[in-house]
Amino acid sequence: MYSARVDYIAPWWTYWLHNFPHINLRLQPINNSFKPEDESYQQSLIFLGCVAAAGLGLNLLFLAIYLSCLCCARRDDEDPGDTKKKGSCCVTWSAVSAGLISCMAVGVGFYGNSETNDGVYQLTYSMYNANHTLGGVDSLVSTTMGSMQRGLQQHLARLGEIFATRGDYVQTLQFMQQMADSVIKQLLGLPDWMEADVDLASVADKTADIEYYRWLTYLLVLILNLVICLLSCLGLAKQSRWLLTTMMVCGVLTLILSWASLGADLATAVGTSDFCVAPDRYLLSQTKGISAEILHYYVYCNQTLSNPFQKSLTVFQRSLTTMQIQIQGLLQFAVPLFPSAEGDLQGIQNLLNSSEASLHQLTALLDCRGLNKDYLDALVGVCYDGVEGLLYLSLFSVLAACSFCIMLCAIPRAWRQIAARERDYDDMDDEDPFNPRARRAGHAPNPAHPNMHSFCSYSSSMGSQSSLHPPAPPTALSNAPVAPDYMNQVALFGGNPRYENVPLIGRGSPPPSYSPSMRATYLSMTEEQSRHFGNDFRA
């Protein structure tokens, strides 16, 4: 009795991929049937890779045009503050978008890589199981034939010498020899799976090796994408030009790698889907070394199909039963007359018992349900998990390409802003009291500005002006040597030379760089200082 069989149904995404245009390199449409040995079919899969290569070319062309326009664009001098602010926001949001898309792509890639690996593992596991079953069949057949040809022949030859005086016993031995020849003939009629053109174990080993390197390669690519994204964000945060340059080069290489993997995944997914849509048709066309009837029996495996090995197995069973009956008769009637024949008769009986046990195992292994289950498991692994994983890997390649494209557009803008900020810093006035480089230089003060106290001291001493020392008389100022600015600050802050290193927060001091309105505020407060302290703060 056959158990209820679940028929294979190809998933919808295999039909979607199967309906992709199949065009050879001569731009001629061809049949989309799975024919891997056909040159035109191979060209149609290569054409899909060429489509991905064309997408890469367009992407690089877009980036080249964008970078050219960015380099040739003139700075807007009318409102530079607004322009910088808009450019900074653009870079920030571009970096955020690229980071989110990259993280999404890596997540999709890990899932797709795992699904593809699971599908290929299920395929190889089913192939190993099927190979074990077929190997067991060949082993049982060869063992049974060897025992019949050698062991049985030796026992019958010795018994023929013992029973030479009894013609009826000799006829019984000849009849048993005919039964043994019939068993050997039926065993020779079974297919020799080892002589088939396809070695399932070898194919499974090669598939497992290829899948291991494919899985490892994608794992490294995923990690590389994540590392480049993180380092690019770090370069933007630190405003490191050399790090951004390095990541830009790595981004271009990874962009090329993403498009290449997209072409390979797409071609593999379409070719596998062509097989998954009609796997039975392709397998039945591969009848080298195995009859189409046997393949049909194992591929479909239902109650309406007869077992092609049933006749051979039935003859095998009947021959063994007949031989056992003859041996039982000889043990009962011949042993009392020929006691020396008992050992050979017992040896033949043991050989027939072991052959019967082999017959039961052979019947179970040749049943279609075991191999058909392995066949369906392999199809589910390839067409469900495998193709689905390839689709997710293709989506990962698309998302990674978009992410690095956005990143390659944002990095030059960030580079330009960093360069502009450095130019503005270099253009600052060395005599600017808010320029931190002027205070760090430690050069002698300008004679035109004697005894100019720091503006920081005014705001920090508004609450207690008694801490300020009164200014020296004009005669003393004219005869005294000119003191550096930082010495004046030391005098104002109670003789503490390290007060200048106190953080600016809470001291009312403006930032080192300031706008024209801030400069006007500073000048007005300087006049207020002059009125309060006299000529000591006059420019």
Side-chain angles (χ1 to χ4, degrees):
M1 293 295 294
Y2 290 87
S3 59
R5 174 181 180 270
V6 179
D7 291 331
Y8 164 76
I9 300 176
W12 63 267
W13 52 81
T14 58
Y15 287 99
W16 177 63
L17 292 170
H18 177 66
N19 292 327
F20 272 26
H22 288 61
I23 302 174
N24 58 17
L25 297 181
R26 297 179 181 178
L27 302 181
Q28 298 174 348
I30 64 170
N31 189 10
N32 57 1
S33 299
F34 183 70
K35 294 178 290 185
E37 67 281 353
D38 187 21
E39 184 178 358
S40 297
Y41 182 80
Q42 296 173 2
Q43 291 180 1
S44 67
L45 298 181
I46 296 175
F47 180 80
L48 295 175
C50 295
V51 171
L56 172 62
L58 292 176
N59 196 347
L60 294 178
L61 180 62
F62 165 75
L63 289 176
I65 295 175
Y66 173 80
L67 294 177
S68 300
C69 295
L70 187 63
C71 292
C72 297
R74 297 179 179 179
R75 296 183 60 182
D76 188 3
D77 295 329
E78 295 180 358
D79 196 359
D82 253 1
T83 304
K84 291 180 180 179
K85 186 175 180 181
K86 292 179 180 178
S88 178
C89 290
C90 180
V91 171
T92 301
W93 284 109
S94 298
V96 170
S97 301
L100 292 177
I101 295 176
S102 182
C103 293
M104 188 187 307
V106 170
V108 171
F110 271 112
Y111 179 76
N113 197 32
S114 177
E115 283 293 298
T116 305
N117 184 257
D118 291 343
V120 176
Y121 173 78
Q122 190 170 351
L123 169 65
T124 56
Y125 184 78
S126 300
M127 293 175 71
Y128 284 129
N129 281 345
N131 185 74
H132 178 74
T133 301
L134 299 179
V137 171
D138 288 336
S139 177
L140 288 173
V141 170
S142 60
T143 302
T144 305
M145 288 182 60
S147 63
M148 287 290 176
Q149 289 175 342
R150 292 186 295 272
L152 185 61
Q153 291 287 346
Q154 293 174 1
H155 289 300
L156 291 178
R158 286 193 294 266
L159 288 174
E161 295 176 357
I162 296 172
F163 297 150
T165 58
R166 295 291 302 266
D168 53 345
Y169 292 162
V170 172
Q171 277 186 337
T172 301
L173 295 178
Q174 292 176 352
F175 180 72
M176 291 178 63
Q177 182 63 53
Q178 293 177 359
M179 293 295 100
D181 293 340
S182 176
V183 170
I184 293 173
K185 181 180 179 180
Q186 300 306 320
L187 292 176
L188 289 174
L190 296 177
D192 188 359
W193 301 101
M194 294 300 180
E195 293 182 357
D197 292 342
V198 178
D199 184 7
L200 293 180
S202 177
V203 173
D205 290 338
K206 293 179 180 179
T207 305
D209 292 339
I210 294 173
E211 170 57 21
Y212 171 74
Y213 289 111
R214 185 210 64 80
W215 174 83
L216 182 61
T217 302
Y218 262 102
L219 184 63
L220 295 177
V221 169
L222 292 169
I223 296 175
L224 178 65
N225 276 262
L226 194 59
V227 169
I228 292 177
C229 178
L230 293 177
L231 291 180
S232 299
C233 294
L234 180 63
L236 291 173
K238 295 290 186 178
Q239 297 183 358
S240 174
R241 300 177 69 175
W242 70 268
L243 186 57
L244 290 177
T245 304
T246 305
M247 291 303 102
M248 190 170 183
V249 175
C250 294
V252 173
L253 296 178
T254 311
L255 182 66
I256 297 174
L257 186 62
S258 299
W259 281 101
S261 63
L262 175 62
D265 293 336
L266 187 59
T268 305
V270 170
T272 307
S273 299
D274 292 338
F275 168 77
C276 293
V277 167
D280 302 344
R281 184 192 312 168
Y282 175 74
L283 290 178
L284 292 176
S285 65
Q286 307 297 312
T287 57
K288 298 178 182 179
I290 304 175
S291 66
E293 181 185 5
I294 295 175
L295 281 177
H296 194 273
Y297 170 70
Y298 285 112
V299 167
Y300 293 103
C301 188
N302 52 46
Q303 298 181 5
T304 61
L305 297 175
S306 60
N307 190 338
F309 311 112
Q310 187 62 45
K311 182 179 179 181
S312 299
L313 296 175
T314 302
V315 173
F316 189 3
Q317 176 67 50
R318 290 176 180 176
S319 300
L320 289 179
T321 303
T322 303
M323 294 172 69
Q324 286 177 343
I325 293 174
Q326 297 299 323
I327 290 296
Q328 289 293 334
L330 291 176
L331 285 173
Q332 183 177 1
F333 298 105
V335 169
L337 300 176
F338 303 95
S340 60
E342 184 177 4
D344 289 314
L345 291 175
Q346 288 291 346
I348 293 176
Q349 189 176 31
N350 293 334
L351 187 149
L352 293 177
N353 290 335
S354 64
S355 297
E356 187 175 8
S358 298
L359 173 64
H360 293 309
Q361 295 179 14
L362 193 61
T363 302
L365 291 177
L366 289 175
D367 188 81
C368 67
R369 284 172 291 183
L371 289 176
N372 183 259
K373 181 181 181 301
D374 295 332
Y375 170 63
L376 292 179
D377 289 343
L379 285 180
V380 170
V382 172
C383 302
Y384 279 82
D385 294 339
V387 178
E388 182 184 7
L390 289 175
L391 287 176
Y392 278 108
L393 288 177
S394 300
L395 179 59
F396 152 72
S397 299
V398 173
L399 292 177
C402 293
S403 171
F404 284 106
C405 188
I406 295 174
M407 188 179 300
L408 291 174
C409 292
I411 288 178
R413 282 185 172 273
W415 179 287
R416 185 175 179 180
Q417 289 183 7
I418 294 173
R421 189 174 292 113
E422 290 180 355
R423 285 196 303 268
D424 293 343
Y425 186 79
D426 293 337
D427 291 341
M428 291 178 66
D429 188 4
D430 290 338
E431 298 180 357
D432 190 347
F434 302 116
N435 186 358
R437 292 192 309 169
R439 293 197 300 267
R440 289 196 300 265
H443 58 274
N446 192 339
H449 302 279
N451 297 331
M452 174 63 72
H453 293 282
S454 173
F455 176 67
C456 305
S457 62
Y458 174 75
S459 58
S460 61
S461 59
M462 291 294 290
S464 60
Q465 297 180 4
S466 60
S467 61
L468 293 175
H469 299 283
T475 57
L477 288 175
S478 60
N479 298 328
V482 179
D485 288 345
Y486 74 92
M487 293 298 295
N488 294 330
Q489 295 172 0
V490 169
L492 285 175
F493 296 110
N496 185 5
R498 301 184 59 83
Y499 188 84
E500 186 60 18
N501 295 328
V502 177
L504 296 177
I505 300 176
R507 295 173 54 187
S509 176
S513 60
Y514 53 90
S515 63
S517 60
M518 296 172 63
R519 185 178 180 88
T521 304
Y522 164 70
L523 293 176
S524 63
M525 295 189 70
T526 303
E527 294 175 358
E528 185 178 353
Q529 279 183 321
S530 300
R531 289 194 300 269
H532 186 78
F533 292 104
N535 295 330
D536 188 38
F537 287 94
R538 184 169 299 172

